[in-house]
Amino acid sequence: MRKVRKLTALLLAAATMASLSACGGGDSNGGSSESKSKTAANEIIMAEQPENGEYDPAGATAYVYFDYQTYCLEGLVRYAEDGSIIPAAASTWESNDDATEWTFHLREDGKWNDGSQVTSADFLNTITRALDPETGSWYVDGLFVIKGAEEAFNNDGNTEGLGVECPDDLTIKFTLKEPTANFLDLLSLPVYFPSNSKYAKSEDPEWDMDTTKNLCNGPFYFAERKAGISITFKKNENYYDANKINIEKVTYKFMNDDQAKVAAYETGELDALGSAPYYVADTYAGKSDLKQSSVLVTNYILFNINMEPFDDVKVRQAFALAVNRTDITTAIGAQSYIPSTTFVAKRYKSKVDGSEWGDVQETLLDENLEKAKELLKEAGYENGEGLPEITYTYPAMSYEAEVAQVLQAQWKELGVDVKLQAMEYEVYVDERRSGKLQLARHQWTGDYGDPATWLDMYREGNSQNDIKWVNEEYNSIMAESAKELDAAKRQELLLKAEKILVSDETVICPLFTTDFLYLINPDITGLKQYSTGGFDFRYITKKAAE
Amino acid sequence: MVKYIGKRIAIGILTLFVLVLITFTMTKLMPGSPLQSKNVTGDVLAKMEEKYGLDKPVAEQFLIYCKNLLHGDLGTSYKKVGTDVTEIISNTMWPTIRLGLVTFVLVLVVGIPAGVAMARAKSNKIKGVWLSALTLGVSVPNFIVALLLLILFGVQLKLFPILGLDTPMHYVLPAIAQGLYPISAVARLTQSSYEEVMRQDYITMAKAKGISGKTVLVRHILKNAMLPVITYMGPMVAFLLTGSVVIENLYTIPGIGKEFVNAISNHDYTLVMGITIFIGAIIIICNLLADLICAIVDPRIRKSL
């Protein structure tokens, strides 16, 4: 009997110790020791969120699609590590002087994984399918810069008069509605990627799930899909640069639970973990597994200029100047969240010299409580007296409640009592988009690597301009920048526009940008970083498991 | 008997219909559009709502849904674009069912003998220890057991794999985690029911007639003692076959429980409805089967029908 009790006590103690060391320990024998891979040398296994969307550039392109696009497809051009644009499926291109006509010449050795030639018709195939509303493309508005594209979409996909021509198999020419200096950046949107015209047809809506029909022109091909479980890409021997690819197989397992992901990384069942939970910053501190990479995202406050009291620029500025960004990022994890006063993501790399946007742009908003109080007084609300009820709305997810509470405390110091309101994400988006929120949290991740992905949002008539802000000077600078082909001159214009939006008119108040934490097996070498954030695993080498 | 089965099936179908009606109404009451997403705006959103029939009046949407349901068509998922709900359910139900069956066998093999052993134990001390262990098994939530097993036997000792259900070894930890509660409950139920039957006059009678101990155990004691256990099995099997969200998430099992919760948080109305109907049907069928087995085992129940 005593023995039984002792044994039970021992087992319980062992279990408790084990769980404690795994949860919080930095001990090298604990759960956070460097991972040893269990997978083969020529393959890597990673985790992705639960499967969603399609594997069709003209379809519902959720995050899983982007894994597929990264490994399996190649667009006309791509970003180099320093953010510059380099040839990919197109070897050369040219545009006319006002950037309204762009012609691309495809490379002769561009092949699909079945060995057939990649042609201009394959690029046109994605565009025409995307313009058919039946296809349900998520990025179809990225095509609306092309002449006749918006009309085609609103006319049930009838592409008569569309400004895309294929004079021969290896040439594709785009005629745009208006000058678009950043057209090359737009080419990183899914709708500009090719889909094989032999198999990718509207009549066969399931083609993309069938790996024998979903042909690929990238360094890997779509080898296997286990619905809801995993997707596997294998090296494409017909890729023109195949000799630079060292691994044979890449698998993404669909996982939801953070603890499960970290545990699977620790057992070696996963080789790498992207967007790892924040606590790995502590458990893996000082270990070579832990890596960090930027995300092109800005979290900000959106003032509703059509509602009192934010119709007064002084009130908006008072609220913005009362914000202390470091307090916010400290509350939610200083390693992953970095204070920022720019709307364009702070870590975005300038096309002029590769430096970060946060360094190129001046500090757009001071953190000055006294000045904030002064501005509020000038607006006629000394110490917040006379202000209507103010509500800050945020989606009920991740760290948003903490951010809201810190902001509430900071505005309290300004003399204003702000009510907090959490909403379910879809409801919050719905309310924000219909202009019903007085003061709201907002976040924008760049769709492509150019400041216009952020700054275009607040141009007159843009569908993302939720508060319908109209500023003639801003609009004309943005229109001018769209025509400017000289990178340095264009950057000056964009910097000026951003200053109007944030400093002069303070329609928005940027708060912070985000870095993702990664756990990557130290046996993996040759990692590169994308200029748009994140790690590039395509050219890696992996040591064999012991 | 046939009349009884027919009546139970009719009640089951009516229950399912009420379930469909309530779930449909509730999903429509949820604010926000299921297609609301940062990449779908203005005209594109309107076109997509039209495509999914979301622009029609709610009553019409319900009628269309019921009509399709009769044809076995549960609709298309809003969030897993282009994927049929029936396809998602058939993909996700098998991992859950496989794990559920393994757990079920574990519950039978461990739970019933444990209950019998406990009832037959002479020493009160041993009974006390058993009882404490079973109480612990019933009271510790399965997510704690699942996490503890994962950390101890998966991460620390590296004895069992923890990702998916690829090999038989993958089943060990999730099945134990999922099975601990039903094992304890079945053992406890078997014990009390067994003790109750042991006290009955017909057992004393059977023993007095000189029937062998084994026959008394199997034919007289177990057969009668199993009735409450069988009744409990109905909801238990339904519980095992509909999956545990926590265990499926933690051990990355692409099962239906995990899918259900994802569907709710994604506002994927059609998927929520589809899985609700599926789970509802399983619960109704399992309860019906449990009642039928009871009727077969116990002539008294059969006669009262």
Side-chain angles (χ1 to χ4, degrees):
Chain A
M1 187 61 209
R2 192 161 289 166
K3 267 184 189 167
V4 173
R5 259 189 219 155
K6 260 189 178 172
L7 190 66
T8 317
L10 264 171
L11 273 174
L12 277 174
T16 316
M17 289 295 286
S19 60
L20 283 178
S21 68
C23 293
D27 174 344
S28 61
N29 296 319
S32 52
S33 57
E34 283 181 355
S35 171
K36 284 280 169 221
S37 175
K38 276 185 185 167
T39 56
N42 57 1
E43 74 164 303
I44 52 166
I45 300 181
M46 295 186 275
E48 181 52 278
Q49 295 177 64
E51 192 180 26
N52 193 6
E54 298 169 313
Y55 302 93
D56 174 6
T61 42
Y63 41 82
V64 187
Y65 164 82
F66 287 97
D67 295 327
Y68 156 81
Q69 179 180 294
T70 303
Y71 289 91
C72 299
L73 292 183
E74 191 157 73
L76 292 165
V77 297
R78 63 182 153 104
Y79 290 110
E81 224 177 335
D82 64 356
S84 60
I85 289 172
I86 55 171
S91 49
T92 57
W93 61 87
E94 65 262 352
S95 81
N96 62 355
D97 288 344
D98 68 350
T100 52
E101 284 178 16
W102 295 78
T103 308
F104 296 84
H105 306 281
L106 305 188
R107 50 189 319 141
E108 284 175 17
D109 55 356
K111 305 275 184 222
W112 292 102
N113 60 297
D114 68 349
S116 60
Q117 176 73 42
V118 176
T119 66
S120 49
D122 298 324
F123 286 88
L124 181 61
N125 181 38
T126 303
I127 294 171
T128 48
R129 286 188 308 109
L131 287 172
D132 180 354
E134 279 292 309
T135 317
S137 165
W138 284 12
Y139 279 93
V140 66
D141 38 7
L143 292 171
F144 292 171
V145 294
I146 302 171
K147 205 173 147 193
E150 198 166 355
E151 291 78 359
F153 179 74
N154 289 324
N155 193 14
D156 291 329
N158 181 351
T159 53
E160 205 179 319
L162 180 70
V164 188
E165 292 164 63
C166 300
D168 60 58
D169 275 358
L170 296 179
T171 312
I172 184 163
K173 186 181 169 193
F174 296 88
T175 308
L176 308 184
K177 238 180 351 195
E178 50 189 35
T180 310
N182 67 331
F183 186 61
L184 293 178
D185 293 297
L186 291 180
L187 297 180
S188 57
L189 296 177
V191 282
Y192 291 98
F193 278 70
S195 52
N196 190 289
S197 29
K198 188 173 162 195
Y199 297 109
K201 291 180 176 165
S202 302
E203 305 87 79
D204 180 10
E206 295 287 312
W207 70 272
D208 60 310
M209 299 292 173
D210 182 343
T211 52
T212 60
K213 291 180 181 171
N214 193 332
L215 297 189
C216 305
N217 71 328
F220 292 80
Y221 69 93
F222 195 15
E224 190 184 21
R225 170 178 177 256
K226 290 185 188 166
I229 301 173
S230 63
I231 42 173
T232 300
F233 311 131
K234 286 186 180 165
K235 184 176 173 180
N236 176 8
E237 297 296 346
N238 285 307
Y239 181 61
Y240 60 88
D241 240 358
N243 59 356
K244 287 191 185 150
I245 307 296
N246 304 310
I247 41 167
E248 295 290 332
K249 197 171 154 192
V250 177
T251 300
Y252 277 96
K253 298 223 175 200
F254 301 123
M255 302 179 76
N256 207 13
D257 191 274
D258 278 346
Q259 270 168 325
K261 289 183 202 170
V262 176
Y265 177 76
E266 288 180 0
T267 61
E269 287 172 74
L270 288 180
D271 293 299
L273 191 55
S275 62
Y278 68 93
Y279 57 77
V280 303
D282 293 330
T283 48
Y284 279 88
K287 298 212 161 66
S288 56
D289 303 63
L290 184 67
K291 293 192 169 57
Q292 193 161 349
S293 177
S294 60
V295 187
L296 294 187
V297 64
T298 303
N299 282 58
Y300 62 100
I301 300 166
L302 179 66
F303 295 107
N304 194 333
I305 49 142
N306 304 309
M307 277 189 187
E308 273 195 334
F310 300 113
D311 50 349
D312 184 341
V313 64
K314 285 187 176 157
V315 178
R316 300 199 292 268
Q317 285 174 340
F319 270 68
L321 264 52
V323 170
N324 180 326
R325 289 167 183 76
T326 314
D327 282 356
I328 297 173
T329 52
T330 308
I332 57 175
Q335 180 146 5
S336 304
Y337 303 100
I338 297 107
S340 166
T341 63
T342 57
F343 180 37
V344 175
K346 186 177 186 170
R347 300 291 197 91
Y348 166 75
K349 282 182 183 162
S350 153
K351 286 198 189 104
V352 179
D353 57 5
S355 49
E356 290 187 358
W357 191 261
D359 299 329
V360 177
Q361 181 63 283
E362 59 186 274
T363 303
L364 293 175
L365 288 167
D366 294 328
E367 292 178 1
N368 187 334
L369 189 61
E370 289 315 309
K371 200 171 158 194
K373 284 182 175 169
E374 194 59 39
L375 282 164
L376 203 59
K377 189 178 163 188
E378 283 173 28
Y381 303 109
E382 190 172 3
N383 297 322
E385 280 162 27
L387 277 172
E389 189 179 81
I390 295 173
T391 308
Y392 174 84
T393 310
Y394 59 94
M397 53 196 269
S398 55
Y399 47 68
E400 296 298 343
E402 282 96 324
V403 174
Q405 283 159 17
V406 177
L407 285 172
Q408 187 185 38
Q410 291 173 354
W411 286 326
K412 178 94 185 155
E413 285 179 41
L414 182 66
V416 188
D417 281 316
V418 174
K419 227 176 94 186
L420 301 183
Q421 182 182 24
M423 279 184 180
E424 226 189 314
Y425 183 74
E426 276 83 357
V427 187
Y428 148 83
V429 174
D430 200 30
E431 296 269 301
R432 197 196 69 222
R433 295 197 58 83
S434 40
K436 289 181 191 158
L437 303 182
Q438 186 189 26
L439 184 63
R441 160 271 189 204
H442 203 336
Q443 181 191 61
W444 194 256
T445 308
D447 285 328
Y448 48 89
D450 187 80
T453 187
W454 289 272
L455 297 173
D456 267 345
M457 282 171 72
Y458 292 100
R459 276 177 84 168
E460 186 177 3
N462 189 296
S463 65
Q464 298 294 344
N465 186 354
D466 301 333
I467 48 164
K468 312 277 178 258
W469 179 63
V470 181
N471 181 292
E472 294 304 333
E473 194 188 357
Y474 185 82
N475 292 337
S476 77
I477 295 174
M478 288 306 293
E480 202 182 327
S481 78
K483 285 185 215 164
E484 184 55 70
L485 287 167
D486 182 293
K489 285 182 190 163
R490 185 161 173 269
Q491 181 167 296
E492 281 310 310
L493 291 167
L494 294 169
L495 288 167
K496 207 168 141 190
E498 189 180 35
K499 199 165 169 289
I500 296 173
L501 181 73
V502 181
S503 299
D504 303 350
E505 290 295 322
T506 321
V507 176
I508 63 163
C509 169
L511 296 176
F512 55 87
T513 187
T514 307
D515 269 10
F516 273 166
L517 296 176
Y518 287 75
L519 290 178
I520 299 172
N521 192 302
D523 289 345
I524 290 176
T525 51
L527 270 176
K528 293 180 178 182
Q529 285 211 42
Y530 295 113
S531 64
T532 45
F535 286 97
D536 183 353
F537 287 85
R538 290 174 298 181
Y539 304 99
I540 60 150
T541 326
K542 199 177 103 183
K543 264 200 298 190
E546 283 162 24
Chain B
M1 187 77 172
V2 175
K3 200 175 151 197
Y4 171 75
I5 296 172
K7 200 172 130 194
R8 287 298 309 269
I9 290 175
I11 293 174
I13 291 171
L14 186 70
T15 316
L16 257 186
F17 177 75
V18 174
L19 187 70
V20 172
L21 183 66
I22 293 175
T23 327
F24 189 87
T25 316
M26 287 175 83
T27 50
K28 290 294 156 188
L29 287 176
M30 276 202 254
S33 162
L35 301 175
Q36 194 66 263
S37 139
K38 99 167 196 183
N39 297 315
V40 185
T41 55
D43 289 346
V44 184
L45 183 66
K47 289 261 181 197
M48 285 183 78
E49 291 201 332
E50 194 186 316
K51 186 180 159 192
Y52 281 97
L54 288 171
D55 56 336
K56 295 194 174 72
V58 176
E60 196 183 332
Q61 288 182 40
F62 182 67
L63 283 179
I64 296 173
Y65 187 81
C66 288
K67 203 175 126 196
N68 291 339
L69 188 62
L70 290 175
H71 293 101
D73 177 7
L74 292 166
T76 311
S77 161
Y78 288 141
K79 290 292 160 96
K80 299 195 169 189
V81 189
T83 318
D84 286 342
V85 170
T86 37
E87 190 191 329
I88 296 175
I89 293 177
S90 58
N91 281 338
T92 52
M93 70 181 203
W94 290 114
T96 302
I97 290 178
R98 286 205 308 268
L99 178 64
L101 289 179
V102 170
T103 314
F104 178 64
V105 172
L106 190 73
V107 171
L108 291 186
V109 171
V110 180
I112 295 175
V116 173
M118 211 165 103
R120 290 171 73 96
K122 301 271 185 315
S123 154
N124 277 338
K125 277 186 180 173
I126 291 179
K127 278 194 176 186
V129 173
W130 268 116
L131 195 63
S132 316
L134 292 187
T135 311
L136 196 72
V138 176
S139 28
V140 181
N142 67 2
F143 62 87
I144 295 197
V145 181
L147 192 61
L148 217 58
L149 291 175
L150 178 120
I151 291 169
L152 186 60
F153 296 103
V155 177
Q156 298 291 313
L157 302 173
K158 295 191 170 45
L159 291 177
F160 299 98
I162 55 169
L163 190 58
L165 288 179
D166 296 344
T167 65
M169 291 295 271
H170 282 88
Y171 285 83
V172 177
L173 298 182
I176 295 175
Q178 198 174 21
L180 199 62
Y181 177 89
I183 286 174
S184 309
V186 164
R188 187 83 187 84
L189 211 57
T190 310
Q191 182 218 0
S192 59
S193 171
Y194 192 98
E195 282 172 351
E196 176 69 31
V197 174
M198 290 277 277
R199 283 195 290 272
Q200 298 297 319
D201 294 342
Y202 59 82
I203 301 297
T204 321
M205 177 72 180
K207 282 182 182 164
K209 275 164 71 181
I211 299 173
S212 77
K214 202 176 153 193
T215 315
V216 174
L217 177 71
V218 176
R219 192 172 294 169
H220 298 282
I221 306 179
L222 273 185
K223 199 172 165 188
N224 288 298
M226 278 305 103
L227 281 178
V229 179
I230 294 169
T231 315
Y232 172 74
M233 293 264 174
M236 185 196 82
V237 171
F239 159 79
L240 292 179
L241 294 187
T242 50
S244 154
V245 181
V246 177
I247 288 168
E248 289 185 357
N249 261 334
L250 212 50
Y251 290 93
T252 315
I253 297 162
I256 204 153
K258 194 168 91 170
E259 196 63 51
F260 194 31
V261 172
N262 285 344
I264 294 170
S265 53
N266 283 340
H267 274 205
D268 198 339
Y269 296 163
T270 42
L271 190 52
V272 170
M273 299 266 310
I275 299 181
T276 307
I277 294 167
F278 176 76
I279 292 179
I282 285 200
I283 292 174
I284 290 166
I285 293 169
C286 287
N287 280 314
L288 180 65
L289 283 179
D291 286 354
L292 289 179
I293 295 172
C294 277
I296 292 165
V297 175
D298 189 346
R300 287 170 303 177
I301 300 174
R302 202 159 53 223
K303 276 176 192 154
S304 70
L305 296 177

